[in-house]
Amino acid sequence: MRPKILLIVLVFGVCCCSPKGESSITMVDIGGSKMAVLSLNELKPNVVKIPLSSLVENCELVQLETREDTYISPWYTIVTDKYIGVSEDRRAPFKLFDRSGTFLCNVGSEGRGPGEYFWSPYDAIIDDQNELVYLAFGMSTNIHVSHTLGRFVKDIVAPFRLNKAKIFLSDGILTVVHMPFANTRAMALQFDVNTGAVLNEVAPLEHLIVQNFDRDIINTRNVLGIFDFSSMNSDTLYHFDVKNNMIRPAFHITYHSLEEPWMVYFQMTKDLLFTNVSFLEVVPNMIGRKYVPRALVATDLKNRTSSYITVVNDYYGNIPVQVSYSTFCYGHYVLNIEPETLMADIENRLAESSCTDTDRQILNTTLSTLKEGSNNVVFIGKLKSEIKTKLW
């Protein structure tokens, strides 16, 4: 009965201001590493409404420059102190904007020659300090390195093909984790960023070996020094120990039901984790079923409590925040959205009885700045260095 109760609570948006989370987290030893385990079945169905201001220091709405060659169809967006980088969900170069939304350049271009790539990047790192952009791809031996002015610098070349590679930069070492197939030599490598030499390799973990490209790898890079990642092939959050060249299991959620959920983990801080819990459902106008988010879980590892939560953007009239794997990443809250979609979200919020006069004023002011047909706008907020984890 618990899954049905949970669904009803989330659909009708029932929220409590201060329910008590369950202390249902246990620590288990996995090969010498401590992994936190949460039983989802033990959580109370109460849902806590979390204001975005409790997670980020600020929030601004940036209009991306509108020109014929700058329109985007974003897949994911990363933000640093100096730049906004966009990888598109179509074959297109990685686009770089400054923090005011001014278009700077395409990083690389389509093709198969030096400085070119055939598919949109699967992952990216923008190194503000050294003015470099690192691009990884869904299927390639190369990690593409360019200057933030768009000039190609070099390729860091792996000794074999990398599948849906995720990358992490720390102290002159570029660490790569990708999806291993049965014949893949290593699922993780470390490169010297200056010479491109392979420093270390990690053999594939048997339970992370895949049969096809249907799966994905997800990471956030929100915490300095922690390379967090999870695979759709395994419901566990992992940390890559860069210093010791080891993959360590960090967090796992158990759930006992006839339904099999897909857990997507977001490492918010060292002690705070968010988990999107999705279930296979029939979607109108689609053949078959797809995973649909049904719940968002916050877990406080320090105090060993968890709770179902929703997040609202209290900087902008308490618009609901749809949390996905790209919402909180690279130390920022990021939402890259078409102006028409945001207009509709604002109109929906204005129509709600819970919308206060203050919210209405903020929403109407924001609405007046949006223009149909213009390029996307991006919500940007910097994650707090210390988030109070006793949010419930």
Side-chain angles (χ1 to χ4, degrees):
M1 292 297 294
R2 185 60 59 87
K4 293 181 180 179
I5 293 174
L6 170 59
L7 180 58
I8 292 171
V9 169
L10 293 178
V11 168
F12 287 94
V14 177
C15 296
C16 298
C17 294
S18 56
K20 186 69 175 177
E22 293 285 347
S23 299
S24 55
I25 300 170
T26 58
M27 303 300 295
V28 298
D29 187 277
I30 306 292
S33 298
K34 295 293 184 181
M35 180 177 72
V37 178
L38 166 68
S39 172
L40 202 63
N41 297 83
E42 296 180 18
L43 281 187
K44 295 178 180 178
N46 300 317
V47 181
V48 186
K49 184 180 291 185
I50 301 295
L52 186 63
S53 60
S54 67
L55 306 175
V56 300
E57 296 175 356
N58 48 47
C59 188
E60 60 179 326
L61 186 60
V62 177
Q63 171 69 62
L64 298 182
E65 184 177 355
T66 301
R67 287 191 344 224
E68 185 176 351
D69 60 338
T70 65
Y71 276 96
I72 56 173
S73 176
W75 175 30
Y76 71 85
T77 303
I78 62 173
V79 172
T80 67
D81 291 340
K82 297 171 67 174
Y83 298 105
I84 301 170
V86 182
S87 182
E88 302 195 59
D89 64 356
R90 60 189 178 189
R91 196 170 70 188
F94 187 81
K95 284 184 165 52
L96 197 65
F97 300 80
D98 67 19
R99 281 294 299 267
S100 69
T102 301
F103 178 69
L104 300 176
C105 64
N106 289 326
V107 179
S109 59
E110 294 181 58
R112 297 189 181 274
E116 298 177 336
Y117 41 88
F118 193 68
W119 300 107
S120 294
Y122 188 74
D123 195 19
I125 290 175
I126 302 174
D127 180 358
D128 280 5
Q129 183 176 357
N130 295 299
E131 297 293 342
L132 294 174
V133 180
Y134 295 77
L135 301 179
F137 304 94
M139 190 167 55
S140 176
T141 58
N142 297 347
I143 305 296
H144 179 99
V145 186
S146 286
H147 194 274
T148 50
L149 295 176
R151 174 176 51 84
F152 174 65
V153 176
K154 62 182 178 181
D155 280 323
I156 294 176
V157 184
F160 48 82
R161 188 185 73 188
L162 302 173
N163 308 308
K164 294 188 172 181
K166 292 291 186 178
I167 52 180
F168 183 80
L169 189 62
S170 177
D171 298 326
I173 296 175
L174 181 71
T175 304
V176 180
V177 171
H178 75 126
M179 293 194 325
F181 286 77
N183 60 348
T184 303
R185 187 172 93 193
M187 71 169 294
L189 303 94
Q190 291 184 318
F191 298 90
D192 184 305
V193 295
N194 296 313
T195 66
V198 176
L199 302 176
N200 293 296
E201 297 183 9
V202 176
L205 302 180
E206 185 175 351
H207 59 284
L208 292 181
I209 293 175
V210 299
Q211 306 299 320
N212 51 52
F213 282 93
D214 290 345
R215 305 292 180 169
D216 275 300
I217 293 180
I218 295 161
N219 68 329
T220 63
R221 294 188 296 255
N222 281 327
V223 185
L224 185 65
I226 294 181
F227 183 5
D228 60 297
F229 73 93
S230 59
S231 170
M232 288 179 64
N233 202 42
S234 174
D235 286 337
T236 299
L237 175 70
Y238 295 91
H239 288 171
F240 190 99
D241 184 340
V242 175
K243 182 178 180 181
N244 296 299
N245 191 44
M246 293 180 63
I247 295 174
R248 302 182 185 276
F251 183 61
H252 176 75
I253 289 181
T254 62
Y255 186 74
H256 305 293
S257 168
L258 295 177
E259 299 178 285
E260 293 186 8
W262 171 40
M263 311 292 183
V264 180
Y265 302 103
F266 317 116
Q267 183 102 31
M268 299 290 289
T269 69
K270 181 176 178 294
D271 297 313
L272 179 63
L273 302 174
F274 283 0
T275 306
N276 225 329
V277 183
S278 301
F279 290 85
L280 279 172
E281 297 180 8
V282 175
V283 178
N285 302 320
M286 283 190 62
I287 299 175
R289 299 185 300 166
K290 66 175 290 187
Y291 278 103
V292 177
R294 194 183 295 179
L296 180 63
V297 178
T299 302
D300 175 357
L301 296 179
K302 183 177 181 180
N303 295 293
R304 298 198 179 186
T305 58
S306 290
S307 179
Y308 295 113
I309 68 168
T310 60
V311 182
V312 294
N313 189 340
D314 53 322
Y315 290 103
Y316 285 86
N318 287 296
I319 299 175
V321 174
Q322 302 299 320
V323 178
S324 71
Y325 67 87
S326 59
T327 308
F328 294 100
C329 61
Y330 225 103
H332 290 83
Y333 161 65
V334 180
L335 176 61
N336 192 331
I337 187 171
E338 293 180 348
E340 294 83 359
T341 302
L342 181 55
M343 290 176 185
D345 290 344
I346 290 175
E347 295 289 357
N348 290 336
R349 174 61 184 147
L350 287 168
E352 294 177 352
S353 59
S354 61
C355 190
T356 66
D357 290 341
T358 300
D359 286 348
R360 291 180 187 280
Q361 182 178 359
I362 295 171
L363 292 167
N364 283 315
T365 299
T366 304
L367 194 60
S368 68
T369 67
L370 302 174
K371 297 180 180 179
E372 292 186 7
S374 65
N375 203 359
N376 282 22
V377 293
V378 185
F379 283 107
I380 299 174
K382 190 173 181 63
L383 279 175
K384 292 182 176 180
S385 57
E386 292 187 14
I387 297 174
K388 293 182 179 180
T389 53
K390 282 195 174 181
L391 298 174
W392 50 84

